[in-house]
């Protein structure tokens, strides 16, 4: 009897040991699984590629650094619908005008590189203004990700109809007879319009007054009202007024005449040699954007540019799409533009007023 009781106790103890061991094994397994899941979760969250696999999953804002109605705004609004269709999210145009586009550019420079804040890049804000303005809150060379070069539109010299000049030589003669009396508007200090006016003044050896605005739209309103005499604006916003006879075109900054304005000579034709100022547009993002995201945006912009309806609209605005065709080529182009305008601004002694 004692032997039987002792055996039962031994068996009970053995069973308890086995149960404890099994419990420890199960706990160990749970800990291993929990650790693995935590590590995998951390890895997913830490990986930009995996975290952005669902991009885009909300609307994307495209910042335009100029007022509605200007060339940059026109091009952005032409591209946005097709980009939205391809990316599957709304592209919201956000106009943040002022300081030659640098206010809008700064917003994008300081935004997260998550693809939800993009910039309609411009030669004003991203190549010229940094060398003209006393202080720019971003580094044009390092604070952006170049995505797509959209193209350029020429600058066109237009006058208010009241100005008694029908040709560039007549305008130069008028300016020389009225030193510092002629005025030209621009979309801001450091804009291509500003630089174009300064370059024209130097080549023609005349003195004219620069009147900066927050955007082309406002400058055109005052030009139409006769508050200023002329503008070296981009073609898209002034073209309707030229066709309507409300503004007088004298010269355009293309190598050859445009088919949409066959009677308007180039600056070279009228003796203004070396007038190489144009407005180029692009799509850019904050620095350090992932390459796969850049590729998606670039493809969407390219598709929008090649869409037959868009192409007809932009061609009618005088957009010239010849230029860099990949993000890497655009990056190289941007470096060259910064170097070019750095030298030109010093040569013209153009400074913030």
């Amino acid at each position: 009897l004692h032997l039987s009781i002792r055996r039962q106790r031994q068996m009970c103890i053995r069973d308890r040991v086995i149960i404890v061991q099994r419990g420890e094994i199960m706990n160990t397994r749970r800990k291993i699984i929990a650790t693995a899941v935590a590590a995998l979760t951390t890895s997913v969250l830490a990986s930009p590629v995996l975290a952005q696999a669902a991009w885009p999953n909300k609307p994307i804002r495209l910042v335009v650094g100029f007022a509605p109605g200007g060339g940059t705004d026109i091009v952005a609004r032409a591209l946005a619908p097709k980009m939205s269709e391809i990316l599957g999210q709304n592209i919201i145009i956000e106009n943040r005008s002022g300081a030659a586009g640098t206010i809008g550019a700064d917003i994008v420079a300081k935004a997260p590189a998550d693809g939800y804040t993009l910039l309609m890049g411009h030669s004003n804000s991203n190549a010229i203004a940094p060398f003209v303005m006393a202080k720019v809150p971003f580094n044009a060379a390092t604070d952006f990700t170049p995505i797509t070069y959209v193209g350029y539109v020429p600058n066109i010299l237009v006058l208010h109809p009241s100005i008694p000049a029908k040709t560039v030589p007549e305008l130069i003669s008028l300016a020389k007879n009225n030193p510092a009396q002629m005025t030209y508007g621009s979309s801001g200090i450091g804009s291509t319009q500003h630089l174009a006016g300064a370059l024209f003044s130097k080549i023609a050896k005349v003195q004219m007054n620069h009147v900066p605005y927050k955007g082309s739209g406002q400058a055109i309103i005052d030009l139409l009202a006769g508050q200023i005499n002329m503008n070296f604006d981009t073609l898209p916003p002034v073209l309707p007024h030229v066709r309507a006879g409300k503004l007088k075109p004298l010269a355009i900054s293309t190598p050859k005449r445009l088919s949409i304005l066959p009677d308007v000579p180039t600056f070279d034709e009228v003796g203004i040699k070396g007038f190489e100022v144009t407005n180029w547009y692009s799509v850019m993002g904050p620095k350090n954007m992932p390459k796969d995201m850049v590729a998606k945006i670039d493809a969407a912009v390219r598709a929008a540019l090649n869409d037959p309806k868009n192409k007809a609209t932009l061609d009618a605005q005088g957009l010239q799409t010849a230029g860099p065709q990949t993000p890497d080529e655009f990056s190289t182009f941007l470096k060259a533009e910064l170097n070019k305008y750095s030298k030109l601004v010093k040569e013209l002694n153009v400074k913030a007023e």
Side-chain angles (χ1 to χ4, degrees):
L1 179 61
H2 289 295
L3 181 61
S4 176
I5 292 173
R6 188 169 58 184
R7 286 179 178 175
Q8 288 178 0
R9 287 177 178 174
Q10 289 175 344
M11 290 175 64
C12 184
I13 292 170
R14 183 192 64 187
D15 290 343
R16 288 177 181 174
V17 170
I18 291 172
I19 291 171
V20 169
Q21 289 176 337
R22 286 177 178 173
E24 291 175 348
I25 291 171
M26 290 300 292
N27 286 336
T28 301
R29 286 178 178 174
R30 289 193 187 98
K31 290 179 181 179
I32 292 172
I33 292 171
T35 301
V37 170
L40 180 60
T41 301
T42 301
S43 176
V44 169
L45 293 175
S47 170
V49 175
L50 293 175
Q52 292 151 6
W55 183 90
N57 55 26
K58 63 180 181 180
I60 299 166
R61 64 172 177 163
L62 179 58
V63 178
V64 174
F66 303 91
T72 317
D73 184 69
I74 291 173
V75 174
R77 292 181 189 278
L79 297 178
K82 191 66 177 180
M83 289 176 63
S84 296
E85 178 186 325
I86 293 169
L87 295 173
Q89 291 292 337
N90 288 333
I91 305 291
I92 301 171
I93 305 297
E94 183 175 319
N95 295 89
R96 300 296 292 269
S97 62
T102 58
I103 291 175
D106 187 47
I107 290 171
V108 178
K110 291 178 171 56
D114 57 8
Y116 292 106
T117 302
L118 303 175
L119 174 70
M120 197 68 199
H122 193 289
S123 48
N124 285 357
S125 55
N126 296 91
I128 301 174
F131 304 111
V132 174
M133 301 176 70
K135 185 177 181 181
V136 175
F138 56 81
N139 187 315
T142 61
D143 285 348
F144 299 93
T145 296
I147 300 175
T148 308
Y149 174 83
V150 171
Y152 78 90
V153 290
N155 287 73
I156 181 169
L157 169 56
V158 288
L159 307 183
H160 186 269
S162 65
I163 304 302
K166 295 181 180 179
T167 65
V168 168
E170 289 179 6
L171 175 63
I172 293 173
S173 177
L174 186 64
K176 286 183 176 179
N177 291 330
N178 299 276
Q181 297 300 307
M182 303 297 288
T183 57
Y184 68 94
S186 80
S187 60
I189 297 169
S191 64
T192 50
Q193 295 99 322
H194 179 194
L195 205 64
L199 182 58
F200 179 88
S201 298
K202 180 179 180 179
I203 295 172
K205 298 179 181 179
V206 296
Q207 293 181 331
M208 299 193 299
N209 290 325
H210 171 228
V211 182
Y213 292 82
K214 288 186 177 181
S216 289
Q218 295 174 346
I220 292 168
I221 289 172
D222 271 11
L223 177 58
L224 291 169
Q227 299 298 315
I228 53 176
N229 303 140
M230 70 190 84
N231 198 345
F232 295 83
D233 212 326
T234 54
L235 184 58
V238 299
L239 186 57
H241 305 299
V242 168
R243 287 172 170 164
K246 295 179 179 179
L247 292 176
K248 202 164 26 174
L250 296 193
I252 195 165
S253 66
T254 47
K256 297 180 180 180
R257 295 192 185 196
L258 293 181
S259 59
I260 57 175
L261 290 173
D263 296 329
V264 180
T266 67
F267 278 97
D268 189 69
E269 285 182 84
V270 296
I272 306 298
K273 306 293 183 179
F275 192 87
E276 299 178 358
V277 179
T278 59
N279 284 258
W280 52 258
Y281 305 118
S282 66
V283 175
M284 308 176 80
K287 64 181 179 182
N288 298 327
M289 286 182 64
K291 288 189 176 181
D292 59 334
M293 187 181 291
V294 169
K296 286 183 181 179
I297 298 170
D298 177 53
V301 177
R302 293 281 167 206
L305 283 170
N306 293 323
D307 177 73
K309 182 179 179 181
N310 270 347
K311 189 168 175 51
T313 298
L314 295 172
D315 285 349
Q317 298 294 330
L319 183 72
Q320 311 293 303
T321 56
Q325 297 299 307
T326 68
D328 286 342
E329 288 179 1
F330 175 35
S331 181
T332 300
F333 168 84
L334 183 58
K335 291 175 183 176
E337 285 290 284
L338 287 165
N339 183 54
K340 164 188 167 181
Y341 283 114
S342 172
K343 295 177 180 178
L344 186 57
V345 166
K346 289 179 181 178
E347 179 185 332
L348 296 175
N349 193 31
V350 174
K351 297 179 181 179
E353 300 165 359

